Amino acid sequence: SQQGEEDPQALSIQEGENATMNCSYKTSINNLQWYRQNSGRGLVHLILIRSNEREKHSGRLRVTLDTSKKSSSLLITASRAADTASYFCATDEKDKIIFGKGTRLHILP
Amino acid sequence: NAGVTQTPKFQVLKTGQSMTLQCAQDMNHNSMYWYRQDPGMGLRLIYYSASEGTTDKGEVPNGYNVSRLNKREFSLRLESAAPSQTSVYFCASSALAGRSSYEQYFGPGTRLTVT
């Protein structure tokens, strides 16, 4: 089955800086989603971008989608300590979604 | 509105024991899912139920069974637990399936250790 794959696996940045993480996938999709997981918790949905969209914003989040390259990026601007978490992309496959292995983001004070 | 609830939160089993993980949602969602998450891995789908009355296998169904008891509840059963089933189990729900154009809502997880 296809699976989104995030890059980098881990990322540490200073508070206030921007964080960018990427997701690549293998086959065509209808939409791509990003989720956040705080340590020891369930996943929380952040944003969904459809295949006919190129960019989407939600607060400090900006997601882009390039279907020709089969890739997406998640940008978090002006990072905060509370953004420390793992971030997963998820791509659709029939009537379910498949998650990548995630990027662990650590915001340094 | 509690969202997605899971019980128990923690469980320790001996090899060969059985148990059922319970999941319930109060959002009137049609679709429900069971995932497992292992260290350094993403979430792997065990089973899902696209709508009440249907269940389907995901990526890693071996050693598990599920029951969609009603629209609200979706349980996961381990008939004979093995150490390889030590993991964190998450239940999720979404309004509809169908190319998954809908966000999933997750429960807090069940941490299972099999010795």
Side-chain angles (χ1 to χ4, degrees):
Chain A
S1 62
Q2 73 173 9
Q3 183 182 48
E5 199 164 309
E6 295 88 347
D7 172 62
Q9 290 186 335
L11 178 63
S12 292
I13 61 171
Q14 294 294 137
E15 191 168 9
E17 293 182 340
N18 296 340
T20 299
M21 52 207 89
N22 304 296
C23 171
S24 59
Y25 56 91
K26 294 175 185 167
T27 61
S28 64
I29 58 171
N30 283 346
N31 63 73
L32 184 144
Q33 302 182 45
W34 285 92
Y35 288 78
R36 183 188 75 232
Q37 184 181 33
N38 291 95
S39 181
R41 301 285 194 92
L43 276 70
V44 174
H45 181 265
L46 294 176
I47 200 162
L48 181 153
I49 186 165
R50 302 191 187 281
S51 58
N52 61 353
E53 297 175 311
R54 292 295 167 258
E55 190 170 308
K56 205 160 179 182
H57 296 254
S58 177
R60 294 184 295 113
L61 305 181
R62 174 180 167 247
V63 168
T64 62
L65 180 63
D66 186 336
T67 52
S68 66
K69 293 182 180 176
K70 294 186 171 60
S71 68
S72 172
S73 67
L74 170 67
L75 168 68
I76 304 173
T77 60
S79 63
R80 304 168 182 169
D83 295 327
T84 292
S86 291
Y87 293 82
F88 296 87
C89 68
T91 51
D92 63 287
E93 179 178 299
K94 294 181 184 177
D95 53 3
K96 55 189 183 291
I97 62 174
I98 304 296
F99 288 86
K101 295 182 181 180
T103 292
R104 293 188 307 281
L105 174 65
H106 185 55
I107 307 301
L108 303 167
Chain B
N1 191 337
V4 179
T5 56
Q6 291 182 237
T7 56
K9 289 198 167 98
F10 301 92
Q11 184 70 50
V12 178
L13 290 178
K14 292 191 163 110
T15 297
Q17 287 185 319
S18 62
M19 79 161 296
T20 300
L21 281 65
Q22 307 286 354
C23 174
Q25 52 90 9
D26 60 4
M27 295 173 282
N28 201 33
H29 284 169
N30 287 300
S31 304
M32 298 184 74
Y33 311 81
W34 276 106
Y35 296 91
R36 62 177 287 174
Q37 184 176 34
D38 301 295
M41 303 288 288
L43 275 72
R44 291 184 292 170
L45 183 63
I46 305 171
Y47 271 95
Y48 66 104
S49 172
S51 60
E52 187 180 355
T54 69
T55 60
D56 284 286
K57 294 178 181 178
E59 297 174 75
V60 288
N62 291 343
Y64 305 95
N65 284 300
V66 291
S67 295
R68 183 76 183 264
L69 304 167
N70 48 56
K71 192 170 186 180
R72 290 187 65 247
E73 298 172 288
F74 189 38
S75 62
L76 178 72
R77 182 158 178 85
L78 286 70
E79 290 292 350
S80 179
S84 60
Q85 293 178 304
T86 293
S87 189
V88 181
Y89 291 84
F90 289 100
C91 177
S93 70
S94 65
L96 285 173
R99 294 302 294 201
S100 295
S101 295
Y102 299 89
E103 64 181 280
Q104 293 193 358
Y105 293 79
F106 282 79
T110 294
R111 281 141 190 83
L112 174 67
T113 301
V114 183
T115 61

